[in-house]
Amino acid sequence: MSTFVDLLRQHHQALDAEYSRELSPDMRRAMYAMMMCKTPQQRQSLWACEHCQHHDRSPLSCGHRHCPQCQQNTTSQWLARQQAKLLPVEYFMVTFTLPFELRALVRRRPKAMFKLMFSVTSSILKDFASRQELGDIGFTSVLHTHSRRRALHPHLHIIVPNGGYDPARKQWRKGKKGYLFNEFALANVWRARVFEAIKKHPELSVDNIKMMPKKWVVDCKNVGQGLPALKYLSRYLYRGVLPDKDIIHYDQRTVTFRYTDSATNKTTHRTLPTLKFLMLILQHVLPKGLQRVRDYGLLSSGAKKLRLIIQLLLLPVSDWLNTTKETTSLRASKICPCCQHKMHCTGVTRIP
């Protein structure tokens, strides 16, 4: 049982009464799904043991992407797919952070702002690659919405191979060793294009922003062969905003959780009233239909043949043929409590 889901079940009525205006339809859908997750009100899976003829029923999980009780297998499957796409080149992680002053726009129009962030950052990276004559590049963008204190902090982590494919010469163009793009130049273009995109968007406006952001931050970090960065990102993709192990105390009035302070790199605690804590986590529920992860260019799903060509071009410096594994979907399994043999799922009941 998830601690957050348990708290939500206990306090959802008080939460609705206190924050009825702040709770969006997406938040309410997530709340309902999480509260119904693995309960008798959900559909049930039917199991049978061929060895001892034992039968059993298990409530199904809700499958919601923000539910901390679900998506355990999704992370490993995503990581396996991304690992199969890795090229034997140097990788960088570019992080575009939305300034504090513009986060009010995210609260009012989250779907529009998140889509804007994806489109603007992808155009920036493609243009910078074109200026350096790298050819066709590829990258994977992952949206994060929270800081370590779990405050609203929208930013994009983008994994980029250092190089590109020249379709005219059918060659791989290697980037400069230890260098991808200039961070300050990226930040300046990031600022200009965000304002330009907001100005053109029919749902967005900066007229109500009292102070215009002065500091725009873009970080460009070398992450070696890319796999450590993918493992880092995978831990935050398909799980709740706050793991249960980090909730160290809770009662009817307050919740205390721990986090690593970014300035001191030391573990510290934060205590909040229970309802405020629940809203702190629920504010990170993404709008329905918005993709948290997007692959572009050489790393997109439609570029599988092109990636194979590039891997063949880079074969002399790689042993990818020996290490690449096919990704398979994991089937649900259960052990019989009577004879300890594997049970088989025979069906799913309808909703009562």
Side-chain angles (χ1 to χ4, degrees):
M1 174 65 68
S2 165
T3 303
F4 175 77
V5 174
D6 188 36
L7 288 169
L8 194 60
R9 287 171 180 162
Q10 295 179 38
H11 300 279
H12 71 276
Q13 292 181 342
L15 181 70
D16 195 7
E18 181 75 18
Y19 294 99
S20 58
R21 293 185 178 181
E22 287 85 353
L23 287 170
S24 67
D26 294 301
M27 293 180 191
R28 293 182 185 275
R29 278 192 290 267
M31 286 173 57
Y32 176 78
M34 286 186 277
M35 288 189 295
M36 293 295 105
C37 185
K38 297 182 180 179
T39 63
Q41 289 77 15
Q42 285 280 82
R43 294 185 299 169
Q44 296 182 329
S45 58
L46 308 178
W47 297 83
C49 178
E50 296 179 356
H51 187 262
C52 69
Q53 305 304 315
H54 175 74
H55 290 75
D56 200 0
R57 294 184 176 212
S58 297
L60 292 179
S61 59
C62 65
H64 197 280
R65 59 176 168 175
H66 293 286
C67 180
Q69 299 183 136
C70 301
Q71 314 292 349
Q72 287 90 348
N73 293 329
T74 311
T75 296
S76 58
Q77 291 171 5
W78 178 83
L79 182 60
R81 289 195 301 270
Q82 295 298 326
Q83 189 173 354
K85 296 179 181 180
L86 281 175
L87 302 175
V89 299
E90 187 179 44
Y91 275 75
F92 282 79
M93 184 161 69
V94 187
T95 304
F96 291 85
T97 303
L98 196 70
F100 172 81
E101 293 83 354
L102 296 183
R103 292 170 197 170
L105 288 177
V106 174
R107 292 188 176 91
R108 292 198 294 265
R109 294 287 187 270
K111 194 168 188 176
M113 280 300 298
F114 291 147
K115 284 186 174 181
L116 181 148
M117 290 174 65
F118 277 111
S119 62
V120 169
T121 52
S122 63
S123 67
I124 291 173
L125 293 177
K126 289 175 182 177
D127 288 349
F128 270 68
S130 178
R131 292 174 190 173
Q132 295 190 16
E133 298 182 348
L134 289 179
D136 298 334
I137 65 169
F139 47 91
T140 297
S141 300
V142 179
L143 173 66
H144 283 184
T145 61
H146 60 83
S147 65
R148 295 184 180 183
R149 286 172 54 86
R150 270 58 184 185
L152 187 64
H153 183 74
H155 55 285
L156 282 176
H157 290 302
I158 306 178
I159 305 296
V160 189
N162 190 12
Y165 179 72
D166 186 343
R169 297 185 177 182
K170 296 183 179 181
Q171 293 179 344
W172 175 259
R173 292 194 172 184
K174 187 177 179 181
K176 296 180 182 178
K177 186 176 181 180
Y179 176 84
L180 184 66
F181 305 131
N182 183 277
E183 295 178 346
F184 299 104
L186 286 170
N188 289 332
V189 179
W190 169 231
R191 175 187 181 278
R193 295 199 181 179
V194 166
F195 280 133
E196 182 183 0
I198 291 175
K199 186 177 180 180
K200 292 180 179 180
H201 201 284
E203 299 180 11
L204 301 173
S205 173
V206 294
D207 293 341
N208 295 327
I209 304 297
K210 296 180 180 179
M211 292 183 61
M212 288 295 103
K214 296 181 179 179
K215 187 176 182 180
W216 292 71
V217 178
V218 177
D219 180 64
C220 189
K221 183 186 301 182
N222 189 318
V223 290
Q225 295 300 307
L227 184 57
L230 290 173
K231 289 181 177 179
Y232 165 78
L233 294 178
S234 69
R235 293 199 296 267
Y236 297 93
L237 280 179
Y238 302 104
R239 70 172 191 182
V241 174
L242 184 68
D244 277 350
K245 62 182 179 65
D246 290 334
I247 300 177
I248 58 176
H249 174 77
Y250 66 94
D251 52 36
Q252 290 297 317
R253 294 184 299 174
T254 62
V255 178
T256 301
F257 65 92
R258 63 188 173 196
Y259 66 95
T260 303
D261 187 89
S262 56
T264 63
N265 205 31
K266 294 182 179 179
T267 300
T268 185
H269 299 159
R270 185 180 183 187
T271 301
L272 293 172
T274 303
L275 297 184
K276 191 171 182 180
F277 166 78
L278 292 174
M279 276 303 300
L280 180 76
I281 304 302
L282 287 172
Q283 70 175 331
H284 301 292
V285 171
L286 296 180
K288 184 179 179 180
L290 181 79
Q291 292 177 292
R292 184 193 293 272
V293 184
R294 303 187 184 189
D295 296 316
Y296 296 86
L298 304 178
L299 301 183
S300 65
S301 58
K304 187 175 181 179
K305 292 183 179 179
L306 182 57
R307 278 197 306 276
L308 179 59
I309 293 173
I310 295 171
Q311 288 171 329
L312 288 171
L313 288 173
L314 300 173
L315 184 60
V317 292
S318 169
D319 59 350
W320 66 271
L321 281 174
N322 298 323
T323 59
T324 301
K325 298 181 180 179
E326 293 184 3
T327 58
T328 57
S329 299
L330 298 177
R331 298 186 64 181
S333 62
K334 190 174 182 179
I335 302 300
C336 178
C338 300
C339 64
Q340 304 303 311
H341 283 73
K342 185 177 290 187
M343 300 182 73
H344 300 280
C345 182
T346 59
V348 175
T349 62
R350 294 185 178 182
I351 298 176

